[in-house]
Amino acid sequence: MEFLDLSPLTRARGTIQLPGSKSISNRILLLSALAQGTTDVRSLLDSDDTRVMLDALACLGVNWIRRGDTQDYVVQGVGGAFPVKQAELSLGNAGTAFRSLTAALALCGGNYTLRGVPRMHERPIGDLVDALRQLGAQIDYLDNADFPPLKIAPAQLTEASEVAVRGNVSSQFLTGLLLAAPLTGKSITIRVIGELISRPYIEITLNLMRRFGVEVERDGWQAFTVPAGQVYRSPGSIYVEGDASSASYFLAAGAIGGGPVRVEGVGSASIQGDIRFAEALQQMGATIAMGGNWVEASAQGRLHGIDADFNHIPDAAMTIAVAALFAQGSTMLRNIGSWRVKETDRIHAMATELRKLGATVEEGADFLRVTPPVQLQPATIDTYDDHRMAMCFSLVALGGVAVRINDPKCVNKTFPGYFEAFASITQRSVMSTDIPVIAIDGPSASGKGTVAALVARALGFHYLDSGALYRLTALAAQRRGVALDDEAALAQLARNLDVRFEGGEIWLDGERVSDELRTERIGNGASKVAALPAVRTALLERQRAFRQAPGLVTDGRDMGSVVFPDAATKIFLTASAEERAQRRYKQLMEKGFDANLSNLLEELSERDARDAARSVAPLKQGADAILLETTHLSIDQAVATVLACYQARQSGQGA
Ligand SMILES: Nc1ncnc2c1ncn2[C@@H]1O[C@H](COP(=O)(O)OP(=O)(O)O)[C@@H](O)[C@H]1O
Ligand SMILES: Nc1ccn([C@H]2C[C@H](O)[C@@H](COP(=O)(O)OP(=O)(O)O)O2)c(=O)n1
């Protein structure tokens, strides 16, 4: 199996010229072929699916030429009936070509066989065939009822002027019927049974039919009438917009990797529904700017999870499912049942691959809930012969992890140059050392955690409370009856801790333990286990894995000296012992714990002494750390000082 290894990436910024839209390209090709007159089609998408349509039209006797090496084509319309009356067509896995050609060929008087790749033969078409039969179409199933391959004979048009079609399986059925209706020469009303999914795709169909001279009367989303006597006429020349679904990967890259990333070829004037992907990204916290023919995405901080209905943008919604890996909290994608009958069962495929990266995924008949892992795991992604799986999972590399994409050429279906385009806007980090770290070390209750969390929020960085890992080890030891001096057993425990950090809370073995962790008893236990070299080694790589784009703020005792010696900014944050005891006292009282000030001062001094005296990674100010004495500082002042130190260093570097 061919694969493509994507190195860990840190940033995304740049501009992409989008390839043409697949949906628009294939509709325009069929309309140009059926129309009276010659059509100049500009900027057609170059992909497997458009090639399938071009080849099929050639087989049907339609003359078209490509202008040199460009993506501009000239199509000579046949004025309603294909000259070739007998043909066998191979339509690959191109749903847009298969469904619309089935409808057109069923009504234009010839004998045709339509086949696809095995997956195409698993994608239902029964609803479309049933609707066409109401008009008198003669269609037989060659293998299984309701599925391709199909055999089509000349229609014996009935008196029927009304047909019904189910709206909740694929909107391509309605598109096929609408595109083919004018071929009957009579007035046809198409009634939609049930809810119509993916409505924006119907808007594209109606819009393009209008460009080719056929007006459809519409009664909401329930009934569509194509009045008698209308024929398709070439608009002369027509331009294919950039693909809004393809835009989603680059916009998401801008939102995940900082940006700005700009796509050109679609914008506020677009007729494609997927342009609304930008709104979903905005809801997740990205900054979006838009012009008539461009969209730009960037992000200051971390994205956050959303709960939304994605029925209107089913394709681009896949990109949201992957962007969810980079969001705080869970993301719920509702009303995406149509994913089950696309290039693959996309709900199942998406859930399977997201889990490989460490995400928690809940999968339903028509929904997906994605909860990101604390830390992405490198993984090999299977792509299921589905271009969108390959494209959206490339974004994972922006999390600073390596990903292998199996069968990367499946992107040729809609975007042959995808990986080159993606590489042109992303920056590699061979080592994660390009990702900035702010290390805040200092004694207990000096305010490290409070200050570090606020600095992380201000910069949109990740936050690691390294002390929590030692506290969790102590708590796990207590729960499992492991003695606090059994170094080997404690190290084993530390290595395998099942922990989750989310929204300021901490879970151990699936149970929320944030409050229990902060008790002085666990703090003292933590100080003891932290003195054991094997425990510190066991936790070393776990801590380093938190270094993810766009940056990390971390607090502890040895963040600047041992764990992140190359940190951009190192702070030693302290306060007098009395002030620290006071702070801890207030903190514990506010949380409803009992506390005694003089005991606290004593315990704190003992802990300082133990943390400072131990042989490995003792607590002390490193030579390269900036001392921040906070006894007389407010929290805001302390935060501002750390930010100023970081920014001074950044601008010093840039100069
Ligand atoms: N500069 C400061 N001035 C006053 N109180 C502070 C300051 N910094 C932190 N605190 C308070 O001190 C308490 C202990 O801070 P915490 O962040 O838990 O310390 P650490 O992580 O160093 O143990 C918190 O209740 C916090 O609000
Ligand atoms: N990077 C670190 C972080 C904490 N520790 C030890 C030292 C402390 O006594 C315990 C608990 O750390 P934590 O930062 O949560 O404790 P305080 O909030 O400062 O009281 O773990 C360490 O040795 N190295």
Side-chain angles (χ1 to χ4, degrees):
M1 159 97 62
E2 267 191 60
F3 59 79
L4 176 71
D5 281 332
L6 296 175
S7 309
L9 302 169
T10 44
R11 266 200 79 80
R13 74 187 314 160
T15 300
I16 293 290
Q17 198 65 48
L18 289 170
S21 148
K22 175 186 71 160
S23 307
I24 296 180
S25 291
N26 270 356
R27 282 170 176 78
I28 287 183
L29 283 177
L30 182 59
L31 287 166
S32 309
L34 293 172
Q36 294 176 355
T38 298
T39 307
D40 234 322
V41 182
R42 303 270 170 82
S43 303
L44 191 81
L45 169 66
D46 175 18
S47 74
D48 288 351
D49 279 15
T50 43
R51 225 162 287 127
V52 159
M53 184 61 117
L54 283 164
D55 289 348
L57 293 176
C59 276
L60 294 167
V62 177
N63 288 321
W64 54 258
I65 54 150
R66 180 176 177 188
R67 287 190 192 274
D69 266 351
T70 69
Q71 279 310 113
D72 298 342
Y73 287 74
V74 181
V75 181
Q76 262 178 35
V78 297
F82 292 111
V84 173
K85 295 291 175 207
Q86 194 141 17
E88 293 230 354
L89 302 179
S90 297
L91 300 172
N93 198 9
T96 47
F98 208 107
R99 278 72 178 262
S100 58
L101 279 170
T102 296
L105 292 173
L107 299 179
C108 75
N111 292 284
Y112 305 102
T113 308
L114 276 60
R115 295 181 189 280
V117 297
R119 172 62 189 167
M120 192 73 231
H121 294 177
E122 292 168 8
R123 300 174 68 183
I125 197 162
D127 289 311
L128 175 62
V129 170
D130 290 348
L132 289 165
R133 282 176 175 166
Q134 295 165 46
L135 291 173
Q138 307 293 310
I139 306 174
D140 288 323
Y141 297 110
L142 288 174
D143 287 346
N144 297 317
D146 297 334
F147 293 88
L150 303 177
K151 190 169 179 56
I152 293 174
Q156 289 155 15
L157 287 184
T158 57
E159 292 302 303
S161 62
E162 241 190 68
V163 295
V165 67
R166 280 213 292 160
N168 61 356
V169 178
S170 167
S171 67
Q172 288 177 10
F173 299 160
L174 178 55
T175 282
L177 286 169
L178 285 165
L179 290 174
L183 304 180
T184 62
K186 48 184 208 174
S187 172
I188 302 277
T189 296
I190 305 163
R191 287 200 181 281
V192 177
I193 307 168
E195 201 205 348
L196 177 63
I197 59 167
S198 317
R199 292 174 183 177
Y201 286 106
I202 301 302
E203 302 258 30
I204 296 180
T205 305
L206 298 179
N207 187 300
L208 293 175
M209 286 172 73
R210 195 173 310 126
R211 297 287 301 276
F212 281 81
V214 171
E215 285 290 341
V216 178
E217 291 162 11
R218 190 154 83 79
D219 173 10
W221 294 100
Q222 291 312 304
F224 299 81
T225 300
V226 185
Q230 301 194 81
V231 291
Y232 290 123
R233 287 201 178 80
S234 165
S237 86
I238 189 160
Y239 168 80
V240 179
E241 276 184 23
D243 194 301
S245 315
S246 300
S248 71
Y249 312 112
F250 302 106
L251 296 176
I256 296 164
V261 175
R262 179 185 282 233
V263 292
E264 291 179 351
V266 290
S268 52
S270 173
I271 63 168
Q272 296 169 74
D274 273 357
I275 192 69
R276 294 188 59 196
F277 170 81
E279 290 167 21
L281 212 51
Q282 200 164 26
Q283 268 183 10
M284 293 181 85
T287 305
I288 301 288
M290 204 182 278
N293 194 34
W294 59 268
V295 190
E296 192 175 274
S298 54
Q300 269 68 52
R302 205 169 160 197
L303 299 177
H304 49 79
I306 55 171
D307 179 334
D309 185 316
F310 285 97
N311 189 272
H312 60 300
I313 52 167
D315 288 348
M318 292 176 75
T319 315
I320 294 289
V322 175
L325 291 172
F326 298 88
Q328 199 137 27
S330 303
T331 292
M332 177 70 160
L333 293 99
R334 295 183 191 274
N335 209 356
I336 51 167
S338 67
W339 281 23
R340 298 255 181 223
V341 294
K342 297 279 181 159
E343 277 78 346
T344 182
D345 175 345
R346 284 178 170 168
I347 293 188
H348 181 66
M350 182 59 76
T352 308
E353 302 310 309
L354 287 173
R355 286 187 188 119
K356 287 184 184 169
L357 296 156
T360 306
V361 186
E362 197 188 328
E363 170 188 344
D366 69 346
F367 75 85
L368 203 64
R369 183 197 293 278
V370 183
T371 308
V374 175
Q375 201 184 298
L376 288 169
Q377 297 161 13
T380 296
I381 300 298
D382 286 312
T383 49
Y384 308 75
D385 202 15
D386 184 347
H387 55 140
R388 298 205 188 283
M389 287 292 288
M391 293 191 278
C392 60
F393 275 93
S394 65
L395 295 168
V396 174
L398 284 166
V401 291
V403 269
R404 171 169 290 185
I405 305 284
N406 277 339
D407 186 23
K409 291 215 176 94
C410 65
V411 301
N412 291 354
K413 187 172 202 292
T414 50
F415 199 158
Y418 175 75
F419 288 108
E420 290 77 4
F422 184 67
S424 77
I425 57 144
T426 48
Q427 278 170 21
R428 259 160 168 258
S429 68
V430 178
M431 302 270 283
S432 63
T433 46
D434 293 353
I435 300 173
V437 175
I438 299 177
I440 304 181
D441 289 307
S444 182
S446 55
K448 303 178 303 292
T450 308
V451 170
L454 289 169
V455 169
R457 192 187 308 161
L459 294 171
F461 282 12
H462 299 276
Y463 165 56
L464 165 64
D465 168 8
S466 67
L469 292 171
Y470 292 95
R471 288 173 181 265
L472 282 158
T473 306
L475 178 61
Q478 179 194 304
R479 290 187 171 184
R480 287 174 207 182
V482 176
L484 291 190
D485 58 359
D486 185 345
E487 186 165 354
L490 289 167
Q492 173 81 357
L493 209 58
R495 205 169 291 114
N496 299 312
L497 283 176
D498 175 11
V499 299
R500 186 152 62 90
F501 294 79
E502 201 180 295
E505 300 283 359
I506 304 174
W507 277 262
L508 176 66
D509 297 324
E511 184 195 334
R512 202 182 69 89
V513 294
S514 322
D515 292 337
E516 195 176 353
L517 277 189
R518 298 308 310 173
T519 59
E520 285 308 287
R521 193 162 49 84
I522 296 297
N524 279 322
S527 172
K528 287 185 185 136
V529 302
L532 305 171
V535 172
R536 304 199 73 84
T537 309
L539 291 177
L540 191 59
E541 285 313 313
R542 284 192 86 129
Q543 296 173 79
R544 287 186 175 151
F546 280 82
R547 186 175 198 166
Q548 293 190 13
L552 175 69
V553 186
T554 175
D555 81 282
R557 302 292 185 283
D558 61 343
M559 295 300 98
S561 55
V562 176
V563 184
F564 301 108
D566 64 338
T569 303
K570 299 181 186 179
I571 305 283
F572 191 79
L573 193 124
T574 188
S576 70
E578 291 71 24
E579 171 67 15
R580 289 188 284 123
Q582 277 284 357
R583 288 179 186 175
R584 183 65 90 224
Y585 177 75
K586 262 181 74 185
Q587 193 182 28
L588 289 171
M589 296 302 278
E590 273 162 19
K591 287 203 162 144
F593 290 110
D594 238 358
N596 172 303
L597 189 58
S598 59
N599 284 356
L600 273 178
L601 181 56
E602 201 176 312
E603 278 175 10
L604 204 108
S605 307
E606 256 175 46
R607 188 125 70 90
D608 282 357
R610 185 163 47 226
D611 290 348
R614 69 182 177 225
S615 59
V616 276
L619 163 70
K620 70 169 197 302
Q621 183 189 347
D624 52 354
I626 300 163
L627 177 66
L628 181 52
E629 162 45 84
T630 67
T631 309
H632 303 293
L633 292 186
S634 70
I635 297 177
D636 286 350
Q637 287 171 323
V639 170
T641 309
V642 176
L643 285 171
C645 291
Y646 174 66
Q647 271 141 11
R649 149 124 195 173
Q650 292 303 94
S651 48
Q653 259 186 351

